Amino acid sequence: MTERSFISIQDVSKHFGDVRAVDNVDLEIAKGEFFGLLGPSGCGKTTLLRMLAGFETPTSGEIFIDNEPSAAVPHFLRPVNMVFQNYAIFPHLNVFQNIAFGLRKDKLSKDELTRQVDTALEMIKLEGYGNRGAHELSGGQRQRVALARALVKKPKVLLLDEPLGALDKKLREQMQLELRDLQRELGITFVFVTHDQEEALTMSDRIAVMADGKVLEQGAPAKIYERPQTRFAADFLGSMNFIDGQIKGIDGDAYVIETDQLGTIKAPNTAQKFAEGEKLTIGLRPENIQISPRASKVQRENSVNAVVKTAAYLGDRAHIYVVLKDASEPVLVTMQNLEGAISNTLESNLDVAISWSDRSVLMLKNS
Amino acid sequence: MTERSFISIQDVSKHFGDVRAVDNVDLEIAKGEFFGLLGPSGCGKTTLLRMLAGFETPTSGEIFIDNEPSAAVPHFLRPVNMVFQNYAIFPHLNVFQNIAFGLRKDKLSKDELTRQVDTALEMIKLEGYGNRGAHELSGGQRQRVALARALVKKPKVLLLDEPLGALDKKLREQMQLELRDLQRELGITFVFVTHDQEEALTMSDRIAVMADGKVLEQGAPAKIYERPQTRFAADFLGSMNFIDGQIKGIDGDAYVIETDQLGTIKAPNTAQKFAEGEKLTIGLRPENIQISPRASKVQRENSVNAVVKTAAYLGDRAHIYVVLKDASEPVLVTMQNLEGAISNTLESNLDVAISWSDRSVLMLKNS
Amino acid sequence: MSANPEKSGPSWLGTYTVCYLIFIYLPVLLLPVFSFNDAIYVAFPMKGFTTRWWAELAQQDGLFEALKNSFLVAVPVSLVSTALGICSAKALTGYRLFGKQIFTGLFTLPLVIPFIILGISLLIAFNSYGLPLSLWSVGIGHVLICVPFSLFVLMSRLESFDHSIEEASLDLGETPWMTFWLVTFPVAMPGILASLLLTFTISFDEFLLAFFLTGNDSTLPIYIYSQLRFPAKLPAVLALGSAILVVTFIIVTIAERLRRQGDAQLGTGVE
Amino acid sequence: MSANPEKSGPSWLGTYTVCYLIFIYLPVLLLPVFSFNDAIYVAFPMKGFTTRWWAELAQQDGLFEALKNSFLVAVPVSLVSTALGICSAKALTGYRLFGKQIFTGLFTLPLVIPFIILGISLLIAFNSYGLPLSLWSVGIGHVLICVPFSLFVLMSRLESFDHSIEEASLDLGETPWMTFWLVTFPVAMPGILASLLLTFTISFDEFLLAFFLTGNDSTLPIYIYSQLRFPAKLPAVLALGSAILVVTFIIVTIAERLRRQGDAQLGTGVE
């Protein structure tokens, strides 16, 4: 356990009967971090969160919060609070009573209680909503009240279970930024669970990608998105073109890779070691591929002729599927729509060239 | 009624008690078109679709389909079929029986019936699924069966009510392209309803944007997205920075516009007429604004110094909110993440410059 | 996610379940036990084992007459009250929220009127209008109390019924009449069967209204009641009661299975 | 969208509703009508208006004794069976699907046993174990049939009960005991009140079990039954029946309002 880690999850497993919901997970979360647990439904991320909250007990392994082993602590004494997925607003209490619920035990004076709740209402921009009934709140307001109710307890760690899952798209995008700003302001450690990759990328300082109860990889959003180590993470976070290849040789500080689909391509010789002759999977992010008319001069290292198969105009950008001469699997290219220039490349059967740079080529081990 | 129009909706209204669900709508839809009705929930788009299907009768106005007035035709004789929002698969019938349901009346031989259903199953890539029960199908499969069930009737018009609303994101994106390819192959006129702007932009040949029972504007996706005529459409389709301005003068073929937020800017003098001194709203799409370090040389017509307020990293792109010197309302900039270059501009309080070209400035009448 | 498979409540609930089941089934199970007891007096300690009460049962003419009468009432009652239940449910689901609550109240209120008062009312009504008492009058009384039950069973089914499948049928070219037979009826079938079984059971079991409204014909519960005057016949009554228990158990199990099957079907229909 | 506000079903459903309501309420409404009829014989044509049957009612000692007995039984029965209903509902929602279906069946089966058979079983049970018949035995019999009803009312409420609010309370530092009192109980309150009112009504109205299981004390339905032997007392019985109808109507309306109020609250709780 390093000095830095505030929450330490050490070799934790949780079995429900024969199901290994969480399978030998190790995680270290620093103080003040906004940490995202990302994965498809059923990957064990919620179970892991519920173990941090004390609603589930690990089958094996140990969890330390602020250097205290948390196994023995009853959950109502833990220095953590939780925002539930459906917000779990008490339906029989008004906003004030909801927020004040956790302060009952503190035996505050009436004035002090009012002051604390008012401060919380101000924080979530719901001044004057104290007397509203739970059923009078919109989805976004319920989310804020749930947040305030947990934060008045001044927890060392705030856990959030799909905090924005119940909100519609525009509100969700706005709340993502608000939530992150709030966390930075308060300096409290936030751990949240989501299945939405954009939410994880937008809000987290670090992300752990989970699948089948295991943590596949973890790191800063840009690292996970731009340099994923596993095919699962590469595919789950955004779109990715996967191309089968084989190492043909090493040319200085670059690998030379033979592919059926793109011919011979190069990739930088990074830390990951590949042997000559080894088969591997190449990953190319659609936004790292450039599409241009055949005639135009291409400045990047790799360029291949292709034909537009189909294209989806999305307004601010387009998804263009191109096929290469002898390849059946189309390659996806994403292009930002700068001043409507995109329209020139959306026509089916248009002859185009696609290009990419060596350093955008991702090399993934076949397992 | 022009020669071209296949479905003609003439001054159609539908009132439910005091509610004007559809309010004096005129629309012409061409044969073979993929037509999208886009709007927020409650805007009347579904009611309009249900009038085309014959499930509602217009309070006033007339609908012609293939030159026939459709008011008097009972809906089970109309040359239209519908794919319902929840797919409305018959729960007590298997896939074969569901698809064959509409063919009962044709009194086909058993062989011919089987042949037609098999062809339909092939079309939706569910060969061999004939004996599956309705409850054994996934969401995407239900959608396909509903499609096949309607298409075996060989309708002149296929109506689709939020056809992909019940599917998850990845499947939805895939089905959007499949549905569009299928429509082009069959040449049948498709009219669909959606509240999802990306779905409308991706699939439609033309879009009608609806609000409060009225059609606000219509046209090809690129026209509606890039040259919206109304603030509502500009805002509903994608993101848009709105800036208050006032016409200061006309400089050759360009307007000179005074704004508080961006200083004096220029815009091309397009068909829309503005008078000198007129107040208006400027629209700037976030993807048409470029963000760059202060030092770098900017090649575009307009450039302003700004400071990054907050930024959301989304992997393939970023949403960056910048504030200008004396403006409180932040400006949103979208930037594609080309080879990870985005990371340089995501830092809060970073000094940057934003730039845009004159022709990306949209001028909207204040109403 | 995290469906919490461990959660089975505090352990005292298991103990509670066992105690409660003993409390309710102990008296009921005395019936079959004593029906094989070789003694006229129903009391502990028990004597030897015998099947003679069951044999005696088979020789009682009045029993089979009563059984026949019960069927003669219960079968039409279940059909009529389910038909009325369908109409009522259709009518109620058609109304908007406010009217619906009031009408639902009016439709189901007969359920909470004490049966003895309902019986008196009906008796007065038949007398006032000069109608004779017979199995017909029993049937009419039973329909009155069975419709609300049928309504309960069918309402929940009709409310979760997805009307877009009816629209889909119309859209695919079927007439409203064929749509009813090809779509509405088969999908609603499990609920209708459950209603038929439930109303049959209620009518078959009902004592008080039958007691007030019957003429000379007795239904099974009335026959049982009449037998109670003769202490010697009690063991045979126990045998009869046991038989009814078993049959009731079987019918209810079937009805419940049908209901659940329908739920499963509708469940996937809505997804 | 397009909630189809026009859809109110075919017009014959309106006619049906009216006919049906006449069919069920015509006999019931004869009761109050004849209770003001100035004649001992309950038959058309009616004579003049009188309130003397109502006045007579107020002077019957046995009536108030029976009323008191009915309350003495119904109040504890409603409390006990609702308490047992809560435990049962808790126990049943704790089980997994399969066990739950079986146990739910076992818990509710007593409902479909003909009351006459249930009455005989209980009578035998009390005799066998040497327990005296009294209002106590009536109460025990009533609890047996009331618990399943209480269970029905509470189960649907507990199933839609959002347990995350209990977890939220624990998470905010409350003990399980305080969580029950601060969260679980108040949120479940409308359902509990509805159960209390329903079981009270059932016990208050029940005739057959009371008839079998009571000793010398009669409850109200039994008192009414005993009055029927004297034709001269029939008009007063009609007045009594009318009074019971009104009270029943009021109680049921309150119970229904509570139930709906709880629904609305939970509805927003789940959103």
Side-chain angles (χ1 to χ4, degrees), chain D residues 217-235:
Chain D
D217 307 300
S218 31
T219 59
L220 201 57
I222 295 173
Y223 171 79
I224 293 174
Y225 181 74
S226 69
Q227 295 294 297
L228 291 178
R229 275 174 299 167
F230 315 111
K233 297 210 169 162
L234 187 55

Side-chain angles (χ1 to χ4, degrees), chain A residues 7 29 35 37 49 52 157-160 189-193:
Chain A
I7 300 173
I29 298 171
F35 194 88
L37 291 167
L49 197 78
L52 285 172
V157 180
L158 186 73
L159 306 172
L160 304 101
T189 309
F190 277 31
V191 180
F192 80 109
V193 145

Side-chain angles (χ1 to χ4, degrees), chain A residues 21-267:
Chain A
V22 173
D23 197 3
N24 293 88
V25 164
D26 283 294
L27 273 182
E28 305 288 324
I29 298 171
K31 185 162 183 146
E33 231 179 351
F34 202 139
F35 194 88
L37 291 167
L38 173 68
S41 70
C43 73
K45 56 190 192 300
T46 299
T47 306
L48 189 56
L49 197 78
R50 287 175 61 82
M51 285 194 280
L52 285 172
F55 291 121
E56 309 284 356
T57 316
T59 309
S60 66
E62 273 203 277
I63 296 175
F64 296 85
I65 296 175
D66 201 9
N67 291 319
E68 303 275 346
S70 72
V73 186
H75 50 240
F76 52 92
L77 288 179
R78 291 182 179 215
V80 301
N81 283 105
M82 181 142 163
V83 175
F84 290 81
Q85 184 169 9
N86 62 358
Y87 309 140
I89 302 296
F90 302 122
H92 58 304
L93 303 180
N94 65 22
V95 169
F96 185 97
Q97 291 163 329
N98 261 282
I99 295 175
F101 192 91
L103 300 173
R104 270 174 45 86
K105 290 236 160 154
D106 299 352
K107 306 245 182 289
L108 302 172
S109 72
K110 211 180 147 124
D111 284 355
E112 176 59 16
L113 183 71
T114 309
R115 203 192 54 75
Q116 288 203 16
V117 173
D118 282 349
T119 310
L121 281 171
E122 203 178 310
M123 176 188 73
I124 57 168
K125 294 169 196 146
L126 288 179
E127 295 97 332
Y129 275 66
N131 288 322
R132 295 281 178 103
H135 57 280
E136 293 174 273
L137 301 176
S138 71
Q141 289 168 343
R142 298 171 76 80
Q143 200 271 342
R144 286 159 200 253
V145 171
L147 201 59
R149 189 177 64 181
L151 287 174
V152 288
K153 295 282 291 176
K154 300 189 182 64
K156 290 180 180 171
V157 180
L158 186 73
L159 306 172
L160 304 101
D161 188 2
E162 301 269 5
L164 306 173
L167 308 180
D168 67 28
K169 200 182 156 201
K170 288 217 168 180
L171 184 57
R172 198 162 62 228
E173 284 177 6
Q174 180 200 332
M175 290 299 296
Q176 282 170 8
L177 296 176
E178 276 188 27
L179 208 53
R180 204 190 48 181
D181 290 347
L182 183 70
Q183 187 266 342
R184 296 211 174 143
E185 211 174 282
L186 297 171
I188 293 173
T189 309
F190 277 31
V191 180
F192 80 109
V193 145
T194 185
H195 67 274
D196 180 333
Q197 47 116 348
E198 293 199 346
E199 196 162 298
L201 290 170
T202 301
M203 296 205 291
S204 317
D205 292 321
R206 275 198 310 139
I207 297 172
V209 179
M210 290 187 71
D212 295 327
K214 291 192 169 65
V215 171
L216 294 186
E217 41 189 303
Q218 49 177 305
K223 182 191 159 227
I224 298 262
Y225 181 81
E226 285 157 29
R227 291 282 139 198
Q229 303 299 308
T230 59
R231 184 170 170 150
F232 179 87
D235 198 27
F236 193 73
L237 279 96
S239 304
M240 181 72 93
N241 294 296
F242 291 108
I243 295 144
D244 291 329
Q246 189 173 10
I247 305 279
K248 219 178 148 192
I250 297 165
D251 174 13
D253 55 355
Y255 285 111
V256 180
I257 304 157
E258 181 76 34
T259 69
D260 276 357
Q261 224 165 326
L262 301 178
T264 304
I265 63 178
K266 283 189 180 182

Side-chain angles (χ1 to χ4, degrees), chain B residues 119-187:
Chain B
T119 309
L121 283 170
E122 203 177 309
M123 176 187 73
I124 56 169
K125 292 168 197 148
L126 288 179
E127 296 98 331
Y129 276 66
N131 289 322
R132 294 281 179 103
H135 57 280
E136 293 174 273
L137 300 177
S138 71
Q141 290 168 341
R142 297 170 77 82
Q143 200 272 340
R144 287 159 198 251
V145 171
L147 201 60
R149 189 177 65 179
L151 287 174
V152 288
K153 295 283 290 175
K154 300 188 182 66
K156 290 179 180 171
V157 180
L158 186 73
L159 307 172
L160 304 101
D161 188 2
E162 301 270 6
L164 307 173
L167 309 180
D168 67 28
K169 199 181 157 204
K170 287 218 168 180
L171 185 57
R172 197 161 63 228
E173 284 177 5
Q174 180 200 330
M175 290 299 296
Q176 282 170 7
L177 296 176
E178 275 188 28
L179 209 52
R180 204 189 50 180
D181 291 346
L182 183 69
Q183 188 267 342
R184 295 209 174 145
E185 212 173 281
L186 297 171

Side-chain angles (χ1 to χ4, degrees), chain D residues 102-149:
Chain D
I102 293 199
F103 279 110
T104 307
L106 284 175
F107 272 63
T108 54
L109 202 58
L111 265 197
V112 295
I113 298 174
F115 279 13
I116 187 148
I117 291 175
L118 206 58
I120 296 172
S121 307
L122 286 165
L123 194 58
I124 290 173
F126 279 103
N127 283 337
S128 306
Y129 303 129
L131 300 168
L133 295 180
S134 66
L135 291 182
W136 279 99
S137 47
V138 175
I140 290 173
H142 282 181
V143 166
L144 215 81
I145 57 169
C146 283
V147 173
F149 284 103

Side-chain angles (χ1 to χ4, degrees), chain B residues 221-260:
Chain B
K223 182 189 160 231
I224 299 262
Y225 182 81
E226 284 157 29
R227 291 282 139 198
Q229 303 299 309
T230 59
R231 185 169 168 148
F232 179 87
D235 197 28
F236 193 74
L237 277 98
S239 304
M240 180 73 92
N241 294 297
F242 292 107
I243 294 144
D244 292 328
Q246 189 172 12
I247 305 278
K248 217 178 150 191
I250 297 166
D251 174 12
D253 55 356
Y255 286 111
V256 180
I257 306 158
E258 181 76 33
T259 69
D260 275 358

